[in-house]
């Protein structure tokens, strides 16, 4: 089987060392396997994605010495594909309209307490019709109960982990989609959700191996469920550890980690950075 992997950043900020490590890990894996490396721009978050960030992504990756196939898939150009997948799930009774806001779901939870995965269900038909008539916003949520009934349980849902999850999980992994609750697949403010777009595109592009950070290990559980419900193939997962800075915290956009753009401006050499990250 041909080896196909991808690097799929979101253009919601500039890339940093952590992104560089993940991109190089995927690129190196493809090169060593004699396979293909794809770049995908996951810009479905229309409220935060910016053209300047996408342009910087291309510049940074080229500076690192990476090359990829053309054309680059931009998720914002294929929203109809994802909505068609949601419609398929809706016709099978696997999703429902949820009118609750995040604030309503979190009522009663103390700020220091972790969020509890939400599990709900459709409203009575007459109440739903009234709320729709009033133009109330809603999100499409995947029903775990309906998914469990459709599949006859989740026991047969597994995936192969060639790397390691945050707890050292590796090998054949039993998927636990129930840990995520009834996830949102689409909502008005951010359009289609990450999980749905990712499984759709990985299948469409023939991705055989997903190389990404261990912070996304838990996402594999719910993505495995979506693959089963949509009849999509399951790639092999290879999660890697996360880089941390001098302060011991992992690099993150929200913490304003030093960006690759800043490194380039300061005169850093790509070869030096690749060696620093453990790549020749």
């Amino acid at each position: 089987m041909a080896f196909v992997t991808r690097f799929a950043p979101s253009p919601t900020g500039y890339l940093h060392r952590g992104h560089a490590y993940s991109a190089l890990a995927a690129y190196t894996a493809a090169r060593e396997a004699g396979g293909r490396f794809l770049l995908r721009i996951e810009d479905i978050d229309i409220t935060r994605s910016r053209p300047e960030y996408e342009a910087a992504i291309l510049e940074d990756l080229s500076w690192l010495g990476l090359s990829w196939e053309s054309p680059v898939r931009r998720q914002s150009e294929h929203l109809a594909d994802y909505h068609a997948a949601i419609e398929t799930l809706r016709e099978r009774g696997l999703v429902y309209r949820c009118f609750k806001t995040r604030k309503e779901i979190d009522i009663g939870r103390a700020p220091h307490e972790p969020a509890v995965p939400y599990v709900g269900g459709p409203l009575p038909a007459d109440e739903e019709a009234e709320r729709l008539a009033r133009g109330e916003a809603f999100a499409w949520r995947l029903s775990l109960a309906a998914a469990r009934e459709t599949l006859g349980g989740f026991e047969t849902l597994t995936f192969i982990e060639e790397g390691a999850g945050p707890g050292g999980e590796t090998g054949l992994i039993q998927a636990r989609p129930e840990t995520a609750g009834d996830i949102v697949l689409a909502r008005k403010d951010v359009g289609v959700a990450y999980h749905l777009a990712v499984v759709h595109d990985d299948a469409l592009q023939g991705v055989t191996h997903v190389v990404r950070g261990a912070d996304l290990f838990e996402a594999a559980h719910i993505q495995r469920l979506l693959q089963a419900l949509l009849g999509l193939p399951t790639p092999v997962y290879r999660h890697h550890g996360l880089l941390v800075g001098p302060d011991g915290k992992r690099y993150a956009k929200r913490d304003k980690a030093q960006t690759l753009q800043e490194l380039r401006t300061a005169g850093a050499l790509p070869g030096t950075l690749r060696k620093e990250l453990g790549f020749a």
Side-chain angles (χ1 to χ4, degrees):
M1 179 175 63
F3 186 107
V4 183
T5 192
R6 78 321 193 255
F7 178 59
S10 298
T12 56
Y14 295 109
L15 300 187
H16 50 61
R17 281 182 174 85
H19 294 116
Y21 182 89
S22 194
L24 284 165
Y27 182 76
T28 301
R31 188 170 57 179
E32 290 178 346
R36 298 165 53 207
F37 173 77
L38 310 176
L39 174 64
R40 184 166 73 224
I41 301 297
E42 298 192 339
D43 57 348
I44 51 175
D45 186 345
I46 59 176
T47 62
R48 297 193 299 146
S49 294
R50 298 285 185 273
E52 59 267 29
Y53 295 146
E54 180 180 334
I57 286 171
L58 301 180
E59 292 174 3
D60 288 339
L61 297 180
S62 294
W63 175 74
L64 278 172
L66 276 60
S67 58
W68 51 87
E69 297 181 12
S70 294
V72 171
R73 183 174 175 88
R74 292 173 176 80
Q75 290 185 332
S76 62
E77 298 172 354
H78 303 280
L79 296 179
D81 293 350
Y82 314 131
H83 287 296
I86 292 175
E87 181 61 18
T88 296
L89 296 173
R90 188 193 68 78
E91 291 173 351
R92 295 168 58 197
L94 293 167
V95 297
Y96 62 92
R97 292 183 179 92
C98 177
F99 293 84
K100 289 183 178 293
T101 65
R102 294 186 182 92
K103 184 176 180 180
E104 289 173 324
I105 290 174
D106 284 341
I107 285 177
R109 181 174 68 88
H112 64 278
E113 293 178 338
V116 176
Y118 177 78
V119 177
L123 294 174
D126 55 347
E127 181 180 349
E128 182 175 281
E130 290 177 6
R131 300 186 75 158
L132 288 173
R134 291 197 295 267
E136 293 187 28
F138 66 87
W140 285 111
R141 285 188 182 271
L142 178 67
S143 170
L144 279 178
R148 185 180 286 108
E149 182 177 353
T150 295
L151 298 176
F154 297 149
E155 292 76 15
T156 61
L157 296 182
T158 60
F159 60 91
I160 299 295
E161 174 60 66
E162 289 187 344
E169 303 92 337
T170 192
L172 182 66
I173 305 294
Q174 172 68 55
R176 296 174 289 103
E178 64 276 5
T179 60
D182 290 357
I183 64 164
V184 170
L185 294 184
R187 67 167 76 248
K188 184 177 180 180
D189 55 346
V190 295
V192 178
Y194 162 77
H195 294 297
L196 182 74
V198 139
V199 299
H200 177 282
D201 285 357
D202 282 345
L204 179 71
Q205 296 185 290
V207 171
T208 63
H209 290 70
V210 172
V211 182
R212 63 188 183 187
D215 56 326
L216 289 171
F217 176 78
E218 293 301 324
H221 294 273
I222 195 66
Q223 289 169 10
R224 179 65 186 91
L225 174 58
L226 286 170
Q227 290 155 4
L229 294 174
L230 292 168
L232 303 177
T234 300
V236 172
Y237 290 91
R238 190 180 295 180
H239 292 91
H240 59 71
L242 305 177
L243 292 189
V244 297
D247 58 359
K249 295 175 60 178
R250 73 181 182 91
Y251 292 105
K253 293 177 184 177
R254 65 177 176 272
D255 294 331
K256 301 188 184 304
Q258 186 180 36
T259 67
L260 300 187
Q261 189 176 68
E262 290 170 339
L263 284 171
R264 288 194 285 120
T265 301
L269 298 175
T272 301
L273 179 59
R274 287 197 300 269
K275 289 180 181 178
E276 176 191 323
L277 298 177
F279 301 92

